[in-house]
Amino acid sequence: VIHGAGSFGHFTAREYGLKGQSEPPPKTTTAPNLSSENDQRYIMEGLARTKLSVQKLNKEVVATLIHYGINAVGISPCLTIPALQ
């Protein structure tokens, strides 16, 4: 089973201006009241919060599969994100 993030990841990613795996995060954000030196910190916070929300979803999916006798493990595609390479 392969599942996407759905609202678990997309809402948070959009909030922080993250575009997805195919694009690195923007050099600057449109977030209010941020200086350019805080942009990278803000973007990394967005990545961290997005990853956490997706991990919560994945935990529930894997736990449910195991509960029903399906041996399952979660594999994160996180390292395919250009900004994290």
Side-chain angles (χ1 to χ4, degrees), residues 22-63:
S22 63
E23 301 177 37
K27 295 291 184 199
T28 60
T29 67
T30 57
N33 304 319
L34 287 180
S35 66
S36 60
E37 68 185 44
N38 289 326
D39 282 347
Q40 189 65 26
R41 186 173 299 143
Y42 181 81
I43 290 167
M44 292 310 293
E45 177 184 344
L47 286 171
R49 290 181 183 276
T50 301
K51 173 100 169 113
L52 179 61
S53 66
V54 172
Q55 286 175 319
K56 288 177 184 178
L57 170 65
N58 191 61
K59 177 182 176 244
E60 293 301 318
V61 169
V62 171

Side-chain angles (χ1 to χ4, degrees), residues 11-26:
F11 177 79
T12 308
R14 189 173 337 125
E15 179 182 341
Y16 283 87
L18 306 177
K19 302 294 184 186
Q21 292 184 30
S22 63
E23 301 177 37

Side-chain angles (χ1 to χ4, degrees), residues 63-84:
T64 301
L65 290 170
I66 291 171
H67 175 78
Y68 286 100
I70 301 168
N71 296 324
V73 295
I75 300 173
S76 173
C78 189
L79 294 178
T80 63
I81 298 172
L84 300 179

